[in-house]
Amino acid sequence: MNPIKEHINNQSNTTAFKSYPIHFKPILKERIWGGNKLQSLGKELSKDNIGESWEISMIDTDINIVTNGIYKEKSLAELIDLYPNEILGTKVYQKYGKQFPLLFKFLDAKTDLSIQLHPNDELAKKRHNSFGKTEMWYVMQADDNARIILGFKKDSSPEEYLDHLKNKTLPSVLQEYYVKKGDVFFIETGTIHAIGGGILLAEIQQTSDITYRVYDWDRVDDNGNERELHVDLALDAIDYNKKDPKIEYVKQENQSVKLVDCPYFTTNIISLASTYQISKNSDCFLVYICTEGNAQLIVDSTSFEIKQGETILIPAQLTTFTLSGNATLLEVFINKL
């Protein structure tokens, strides 16, 4: 399109766009390791092996549909195509074009996920024409003795890693963390990891679905087949250095506390006990994930509810509103633009 015409179109869209907090229909994913805990977050499950609820996604054909307001039944892709600056924000649009750069999920691990890792931007672009996958986890519920695997216990090497993989002793050299509600972990690309059984968590990540699976506990599906492994692809994608991925923080009532601030996203936690005023610029969208309780987002005199297990998109053009209620909210945006 002619840049002048596109600018004019965007200008006209600015006046036509209606800014309000947007809810989406979740996309539920069956997984060999999935369970039914997502029901506790209000998800309607048709089976007992639902492992993931994709809350806001624009990956391939997995694109969420709006469920509220005048844009109900439109997809996230349609909205961004019509109103890129208004939805994404001026600086996000300049950097990422009409691509929503983050993916938001809830995960229910009934049993252990595979031991896996994700490539960085450079490898993902070269091999898959994709973003890399930097991510973070916020633990919403954990059974007794539930644990995650994150990185090596000490600095390793490709040779040592391959030897343990061959002998099926890889878990013995990996770091385990026993987890509880409220624990936060930041997973850089290349970090070998696995979510253990008995954990329900919120995940924030780059827009990518590239996973290199290296060990799957020798399990098979209902047809007796093992899942594909990606040992060769993973070899030069692994970061063999010991990591310290756990994020320590202290909640503060009615204040925003920073959890993660990386090149791809910034995540704060808000312990809402009454009201909290938000005033921001139009550079970037906001996303709120309600991990506990109920809150209202009040725009002018209109109230929009967000309940536990819900995720809501605040378009970039919406710059002033109030949060009210009793809830724990994860607030996500892109800070480094």
Side-chain angles (χ1 to χ4, degrees), residues 126-140:
K126 178 181 176 181
R127 293 174 176 173
H128 314 285
N129 193 30
S130 170
F131 293 119
K133 188 178 173 183
T134 299
E135 59 187 326
M136 67 162 284
W137 299 331
Y138 177 89
V139 177
M140 296 176 66

Side-chain angles (χ1 to χ4, degrees), residues 8 56 58 76 92 126 151 166 176 189 202 214 220 222 237 247:
I8 291 170
I56 306 180
M58 227 176 88
L76 177 60
V92 175
K126 178 181 176 181
K166 178 182 177 182
E176 287 189 341
T189 54
V214 297
V220 295
D222 292 339
I247 304 296

Side-chain angles (χ1 to χ4, degrees), residues 67-126:
T67 60
N68 69 319
I70 64 170
Y71 301 120
K72 186 175 181 180
E73 303 302 333
K74 283 192 177 294
S75 73
L76 177 60
E78 287 178 288
L79 280 185
I80 290 175
D81 187 52
L82 288 170
Y83 308 109
N85 282 306
E86 296 83 355
I87 296 287
L88 296 172
T90 52
K91 289 192 175 181
V92 175
Y93 180 36
Q94 288 170 11
K95 184 170 183 177
Y96 293 101
K98 293 183 178 182
Q99 171 65 58
F100 195 76
L102 299 177
L103 172 59
F104 298 86
K105 302 177 180 177
F106 294 115
L107 280 80
D108 169 22
K110 184 177 181 179
T111 59
D112 294 349
L113 274 68
S114 64
I115 296 178
Q116 58 187 246
L117 61 133
H118 310 295
N120 60 26
D121 283 347
E122 183 181 359
L123 278 177
K125 178 68 175 176
K126 178 181 176 181

Side-chain angles (χ1 to χ4, degrees), residues 11 44 103 124 126 179 198 210 268 277:
Q11 289 297 104
E44 296 182 5
L103 172 59
K126 178 181 176 181
V179 300
I210 307 301
N268 302 326
Q277 302 291 327

Side-chain angles (χ1 to χ4, degrees), residues 193-218:
H193 62 272
I195 302 170
I199 297 173
L200 178 68
L201 58 78
E203 179 176 285
I204 299 155
Q205 60 161 94
Q206 290 177 267
T207 286
S208 172
D209 199 29
I210 307 301
T211 296
Y212 294 161
R213 189 182 301 121
V214 297
Y215 183 62
D216 200 25
W217 314 101
D218 302 314

Side-chain angles (χ1 to χ4, degrees), residues 255-273:
Q255 293 190 42
S256 178
V257 175
K258 188 168 291 183
L259 300 178
V260 171
D261 188 19
C262 73
Y264 307 104
F265 54 83
T266 296
T267 302
N268 302 326
I269 188 166
I270 300 173
S271 302
L272 188 65

